[in-house]
Amino acid sequence: MKKYSEMTKDELKAEYEIIKAGFEEAKAKGLKLNMARGLPSAEQLDMEADFFNTLNPTVDFHSELGIDCRNYGELTGIHEARQLMADMMEVSPEEIIVFGNSSLNIMFDTVARSMQFGVLGSTPWNKLDKVKFLCPVPGYDRHFAITELFGIEMINIPMDDNGPDMDMVEKYVNSDPAVKGIWCVPKYSNPTGVTYSDEVVRRFANLKPAAEDFRIYWDNAYTIHHLYNGKEDILLEILAECKKAGNPNMVWKFCSTSKVTFPGSGIAALAASEENLADVKRILTIQTIGHDKLNQLRHVRYFKNIEGMHEHMKKHADIIRPKFELVISILERDLAPLNIGSWTHPNGGYFVSFDAPTGCAKRIVGLCKEAGVTLTGAGATFPYKKDPNDSNIRIAPTFPPIQELEQALNIFTLCVRLAAAEQILDEK
Ligand code: PLP
């Protein structure tokens, strides 16, 4: 098949009529398919049935150190849960606070605390004229929503296969004291699947921020979420690198078991230097008398240790890998020969990132909607929902059953072809 860019106007018109007929046929089926959010499928959640047997009225509710987990207390989490999350986050248990069910919640609170109370004695951000965050793009919409809510100005930083453009990051962070943070998903990034290279991590650790209260928001949500056994990405551990560089307080690390056990019912943790954590505890002690220790106990008893978690993640991978491979094979089959768009081939995480021809993303998402396929909104992967190229679309393959995913992808590629053909015809 000829590439669209090489077709004459008449050839492309003929192609357009064929795709349009296919689109109308798909529309008439009245399908309702969803590829919008990165959720585990019911099949993944069903695996966890035994999880609930770890706590029942006949078991001992005491932690290893004799804490009755049914009662108040243990603000930073029970010892064995701190150990488990420390192993997951590759730090020591003293550098961990186990919170509630959501890492996003910890991120929100971390920004809120900085706004209201400042960071380690610095001026609260809400007393400053201007606060800025760097936002590697495409990125995670909910990060951007937090900083937007607090009126923090967001600056796009382009990503490549190694991570964010570090020349730009260094320029902003090292020269502008209004830059207080950067959002990072350093492993199997949402949505590109990129894992930051060692050089990028080291350049992060060696930043010389103009602001003493600048922090890297290191959201390692997909740290153990590999798709392939034996083809795991490896990420350099940032807290140790920051210590080596003499910047031990420069990073907040976030993580949770949302996509290990249950979204909304996992355990989440913050990792940071002990000095940073002491500052957090000062406020946390007023905010709560302790998080859900029964859930912490459940997690520890279910997995036993980090090896148990890794074994468990292989079962998740076995369920979702075929879905990723299906998505990529349909994109390759339908779009690669036409040279339309580009897409990622992640080794882990929850997304495939698709870049449509410039100016086509909104149209594609709209066409998909007409044909019954819901996608993450075009622009969602950028601050203020503004993709300057109107190009990026996040594909979330995990939730739908594989047959539905196939139907949805067939419609998606049809809509991409339709939008691309329309655009070229308009220009001819
Ligand atoms: N961080 C990233 C990068 C995510 O993709 C998600 C969920 O999709 C979250 C955080 C949410 O994590 P949690 O459930 O721990 O709040």
Side-chain angles (χ1 to χ4, degrees):
M1 177 129 195
K2 255 189 185 172
K3 293 174 185 153
Y4 282 6
S5 54
E6 292 166 0
M7 285 184 185
T8 64
K9 193 168 182 181
D10 285 343
E11 282 171 334
L12 193 55
K13 262 190 185 158
E15 161 76 359
Y16 174 81
E17 292 308 327
I18 296 169
I19 324 164
K20 182 87 169 108
F23 174 74
E24 295 302 334
E25 207 177 294
K27 227 166 89 173
K29 289 187 186 148
L31 297 170
K32 256 181 169 284
L33 305 166
N34 196 323
M35 286 198 299
R37 294 227 71 96
L39 308 175
S41 61
E43 194 186 349
Q44 286 172 269
L45 301 176
D46 286 345
M47 273 191 335
E48 255 80 57
D50 286 345
F51 184 78
F52 298 102
N53 300 332
T54 54
L55 287 193
N56 65 58
T58 66
V59 305
D60 184 3
F61 290 96
H62 289 79
S63 76
E64 277 170 16
L65 298 183
I67 306 293
D68 187 340
C69 293
R70 296 168 300 185
N71 221 327
Y72 274 142
E74 293 301 286
L75 187 65
T76 54
I78 57 172
H79 168 77
E80 53 268 53
R82 289 177 86 188
Q83 181 68 59
L84 185 66
M85 294 311 284
D87 290 342
M88 189 178 176
M89 297 170 82
E90 302 173 291
V91 298
S92 71
E94 295 72 38
E95 293 164 328
I96 289 278
I97 298 178
V98 184
F99 280 69
N101 69 328
S102 155
S103 61
L104 193 72
N105 195 165
I106 312 175
M107 295 175 228
F108 184 100
D109 279 356
T110 306
V111 173
R113 261 193 324 271
S114 307
M115 293 294 297
Q116 185 65 22
F117 305 111
V119 180
L120 279 182
S122 65
T123 307
W125 296 352
N126 62 15
K127 295 213 162 62
L128 302 174
D129 289 340
K130 178 76 82 197
V131 175
K132 301 177 191 169
F133 256 58
L134 306 184
C135 300
V137 288
Y140 179 37
D141 52 351
R142 290 182 186 271
H143 286 162
F144 306 150
I146 293 175
T147 26
E148 184 171 5
L149 181 70
F150 284 102
I152 294 172
E153 183 183 318
M154 294 180 278
I155 299 166
N156 291 359
I157 304 287
M159 289 268 292
D160 65 22
D161 291 347
N162 294 308
D165 177 335
M166 290 310 292
D167 289 342
M168 263 179 98
V169 172
E170 285 162 358
K171 189 180 116 237
Y172 278 112
V173 173
N174 296 354
S175 65
D176 185 351
V179 173
K180 302 294 189 189
I182 178 166
W183 288 118
C184 295
V185 184
K187 193 164 180 182
Y188 303 135
S189 191
N190 176 351
T192 60
V194 162
T195 296
Y196 294 7
S197 71
D198 291 358
E199 192 203 331
V200 163
V201 176
R202 289 203 182 96
R203 284 177 76 176
F204 264 112
N206 283 282
L207 286 170
K208 303 271 172 284
E212 61 180 7
D213 50 351
F214 167 82
R215 293 290 180 272
I216 302 163
Y217 283 63
W218 199 254
D219 175 5
N220 207 356
Y222 299 106
T223 176
I224 56 171
H225 302 57
H226 315 287
L227 282 174
Y228 297 94
N229 206 358
K231 213 167 85 180
E232 296 89 355
D233 287 4
I234 294 171
L235 173 71
L236 210 55
E237 202 289 295
I238 182 97
L239 185 53
E241 291 303 313
C242 284
K243 284 187 215 167
K244 270 192 233 164
N247 283 324
N249 292 337
M250 200 170 58
V251 63
W252 301 117
K253 292 183 71 177
F254 309 92
C255 197
S256 80
T257 67
S258 284
K259 285 165 188 165
V260 180
T261 51
F262 300 106
S265 307
I267 53 174
L270 172 68
S273 70
E274 291 186 55
E275 198 181 356
N276 273 337
L277 289 191
D279 202 34
V280 173
K281 269 186 264 176
R282 203 168 50 83
I283 312 289
L284 193 61
T285 191
I286 294 166
Q287 199 177 4
T288 177
I289 317 173
H291 292 102
D292 181 349
K293 291 183 296 301
L294 290 174
N295 203 26
Q296 294 175 22
L297 199 58
R298 250 186 237 118
H299 277 76
V300 174
R301 292 199 177 156
Y302 186 58
F303 292 118
K304 311 263 185 312
N305 51 38
I306 187 67
E307 282 72 36
M309 258 192 188
H310 286 308
E311 281 312 307
H312 185 76
M313 292 312 287
K314 287 184 190 159
K315 296 187 202 154
H316 277 291
D318 288 342
I319 297 173
I320 65 177
R321 192 188 321 108
K323 296 184 178 181
F324 278 80
E325 288 178 347
L326 178 76
V327 167
I328 288 167
S329 72
I330 295 177
L331 295 173
E332 302 280 353
R333 182 196 68 196
D334 293 354
L335 302 179
L338 304 173
N339 203 18
I340 309 174
S342 58
W343 47 92
T344 54
H345 299 78
N347 289 333
Y350 259 61
F351 304 101
V352 173
S353 180
F354 180 82
D355 281 323
T358 300
C360 285
K362 277 205 185 88
R363 178 67 180 145
I364 293 167
V365 172
L367 286 167
C368 280
K369 193 166 178 206
E370 267 185 64
V373 175
T374 306
L375 293 167
T376 313
T381 51
F382 284 74
Y384 311 108
K385 297 191 169 50
K386 280 191 197 141
D387 176 353
N389 294 325
D390 185 25
S391 166
N392 188 251
I393 296 173
R394 188 181 79 165
I395 299 176
T398 55
F399 185 69
I402 199 145
Q403 299 78 1
E404 283 185 20
L405 185 66
E406 185 171 5
Q407 284 181 310
L409 249 292
N410 286 334
I411 291 173
F412 177 73
T413 56
L414 202 61
C415 295
V416 173
R417 288 165 64 189
L418 200 54
E422 274 174 4
Q423 191 186 53
I424 301 173
L425 281 172
D426 274 354
E427 285 164 4
K428 283 211 190 236

